[in-house]
Amino acid sequence: MREIQLRDAKASLSAVVDEAVRGEAAIITRHGKREAVILSFKEWERLSQVPTFGRLLMAAPIGPKDLPARNRKPVRRTDF
């Protein structure tokens, strides 16, 4: 991913967007500090659809017999 200064990105915004559409994202810097990323809408949609960890767990192909039996012994006492 290439880095481009903000003033240069402003001057050639159309070219920066065209590159992003072709799959070449760009990091926009201001005063040498990374501030933003330009990427295609298609790539943004792909990244925004990443499922949460909870959804991944819920979608796991496991059944009740795949889980170990629950330990029903009482909790042991400890002295601190």
Side-chain angles (χ1 to χ4, degrees):
M1 196 177 322
R2 76 179 183 125
E3 291 190 11
I4 184 170
Q5 293 180 10
L6 179 59
R7 68 171 178 255
D8 296 334
K10 285 181 187 180
S12 60
L13 182 59
S14 183
V16 173
V17 170
D18 289 342
E19 289 174 5
V21 169
R22 286 193 305 268
E24 301 170 31
I27 298 171
I28 306 298
T29 62
R30 185 184 321 182
H31 307 296
K33 183 179 173 190
R34 293 176 171 183
E35 295 285 346
V37 176
I38 302 289
L39 53 113
S40 70
F41 184 74
K42 184 177 179 181
E43 182 68 7
W44 176 81
E45 279 186 316
R46 185 185 72 79
L47 293 172
S48 67
Q49 297 299 320
V50 174
T52 64
F53 183 66
R55 287 184 190 227
L56 286 173
L57 287 177
M58 295 300 291
I62 60 172
K65 293 182 179 181
D66 294 327
L67 300 174
R70 183 175 175 187
N71 183 356
R72 299 209 177 257
K73 294 180 184 176
V75 178
R76 73 180 171 159
R77 297 191 176 259
T78 59
D79 293 327
F80 288 106

